[in-house]
Amino acid sequence: MTDRPTSPWPLPLPPGEEPPIPPLSVWSTGQRDPAAQLRNSGCVPGTDADTDRIPPAVAAYAIATHTRPGDLVLDPDCGAGTVLTEALRAGRHALGLTARNRWWTLARANITAAKTAGAWRDGSVLDARPKVLATIRAAGLVGRVGLVLTALRTTPDEPTDRAPSPDRDPDSAIAELAATLTYCEPLLRSGGHLVVVARPRRHPDGSLVDLTTPLIAAARAAGLAPVERCVALTAELRGSRLVNRASLAERRAAARARAAGTPTALTAHHEVLVFQLAHDAELADAAAVDIPWSTGDQVIRPAVNGVKYPGWRRAA
C-alpha cells in the first residue's frame, strides 16, 4: 500500500495545500476461511480455482455498503462469479462478463445455484470482453449501474492440463483494467460506486508492489474520483490478534524467502479502492464544506453510443 495517492483531488486547492488522503477503513472480512466462505455462499465445486476471485465476504461487504436492494451490480471481468452470487443473495440484480470459457461455465453454474437456493433477482453472465460495454449492446445500461465491483486480475487463464504460468506483469494487468474502467464509467448511475479489489503482489525481492498509485491514476483518467481506500482482511480478527489464513502455496513461498535470507511476511488483506463519478465527488465535497454549487452548472460527459447527457442529472 502507498501512504498517499499521487493523483490530484477533484476540487481546486489553495496554493501549497496537499490533496487529502482518501479515508482508510478496515473491513473485518476474514472471519471465515476461504473454503467456508465458498460453502456458505453456495458456490459450486471448482470456484476455488479462480485465485483472483473476490472473496465472498469482501464482495458481500462491498455490496451491502454501496448498494440498495434492487440495484444492478456489474462485474466486467467476473471470473468464477463470486460477485454475482453475492449480489443475488443480497437481493440485487447481477451482470457479469468473461471471455474465458472455464470461468463462464463456473459463473453460470454459480448463478444457477444461487437462484435454486432462493435468489429471485435477475442474474446473468455474458461470454464477452469488457470492451463490449462501450458498444451499442450496452446502451441500455448507461446510467443504470449502482455498483461496479471487480478485481485486478494478473493470473493467466491456463488449461487445466498444463502447469500454471507465472503471474502477468502487474503493469499490463493495470493497463487492461484501466481500459475497463473507461468502459464502465458511463454506466454508473449518479451516486453509484466503482470498487476495485486487488490482492497484494510482491516484487522478486519480496517487497510489495505499489498497486494503489497506478490504480488511482487509471481511475482518474476514466473520469472517476477516489473516495475511500480500504483494507479488506483475509485473516481472522480475534480481539487484538490476527490469525492468518494464508494458503499452503503462500506459506511455502514465505518459507523459501526466509531460507534465501529475505524474510517475507504473509499477507493478511486485500487492497480495496472505492471510486465515484468525478462530478459526484465534487458535489459531495462542495456540500461537505458548504461551497455553493449552481444548479445551472452541468457536467456534459463525452457522447456514449452517440448520446450526450448531463452526468450529474443521470437517473438515480
Side-chain angles (χ1 to χ4, degrees):
M1 298 186 299
T2 57
D3 292 329
R4 179 181 295 274
T6 58
S7 53
W9 194 248
L11 288 177
L13 295 170
E17 184 172 332
E18 290 285 334
I21 302 172
L24 176 65
S25 64
V26 177
W27 298 359
S28 179
T29 49
Q31 299 304 99
R32 296 179 183 270
D33 63 68
Q37 290 186 36
L38 294 177
R39 286 195 305 271
N40 293 342
S41 296
C43 291
V44 301
T47 303
D48 59 339
D50 180 10
T51 56
D52 276 329
R53 69 184 181 277
I54 297 178
V58 176
Y61 192 101
I63 291 165
T65 303
H66 296 297
T67 65
R68 303 167 296 196
D71 272 353
L72 173 60
V73 177
L74 168 68
D75 187 344
D77 195 356
C78 68
T82 52
V83 168
L84 311 182
T85 296
E86 291 305 315
L88 292 174
R89 281 162 46 87
R92 278 68 166 167
H93 302 290
L95 174 63
L97 283 73
T98 180
R100 299 171 172 89
N101 290 334
R102 181 186 186 188
W103 299 148
W104 181 85
T105 300
L106 282 168
R108 186 174 182 182
N110 279 323
I111 287 175
T112 300
K115 290 183 176 180
T116 301
W120 58 274
R121 293 292 183 181
D122 291 334
S124 58
V125 56
L126 304 181
D127 180 9
R129 296 186 181 278
K131 65 182 180 182
V132 76
L133 298 173
T135 70
I136 193 65
R137 293 176 60 187
L141 296 176
V142 173
R144 293 188 53 208
V145 176
L147 174 65
V148 177
L149 176 57
T150 196
L152 175 67
R153 292 185 167 273
T154 62
T155 303
D157 184 51
E158 290 289 341
T160 56
D161 58 348
R162 290 173 54 187
S165 298
D167 283 0
R168 289 190 299 159
D169 175 26
D171 290 341
S172 64
I174 290 172
E176 184 176 306
L177 180 59
T180 299
L181 300 183
T182 301
Y183 305 145
C184 291
E185 188 272 348
L187 309 184
L188 281 176
R189 64 168 172 80
S190 183
H193 292 81
L194 186 147
V195 177
V196 177
V197 179
R199 61 183 176 90
R201 270 71 172 180
R202 294 189 180 277
H203 293 291
D205 64 2
S207 61
L208 286 173
V209 176
D210 174 17
L211 300 174
T212 303
T213 301
L215 284 174
I216 289 179
R220 284 203 54 81
L224 301 162
V227 294
E228 194 172 8
R229 174 171 150 256
C230 311
V231 168
L233 293 179
T234 56
E236 181 183 357
L237 184 61
R238 294 183 186 173
S240 60
R241 186 167 64 96
L242 281 179
V243 179
N244 203 292
R245 299 191 183 281
S247 66
L248 179 60
E250 291 171 325
R251 293 180 185 277
R252 286 176 173 172
R256 289 194 298 269
R258 284 195 299 270
T262 55
T264 301
L266 293 169
T267 57
H269 74 285
H270 281 39
E271 181 84 8
V272 181
L273 297 171
V274 183
F275 303 94
Q276 280 190 298
L277 296 167
H279 55 276
D280 280 352
E282 290 171 359
L283 289 172
D285 289 337
V289 295
D290 201 25
I291 297 177
W293 190 282
S294 171
T295 56
D297 293 335
Q298 295 184 9
V299 180
I300 305 298
R301 307 299 299 168
V304 178
N305 298 320
V307 178
K308 291 184 179 180
Y309 59 94
W312 67 272
R313 288 187 178 175
R314 278 188 267 192

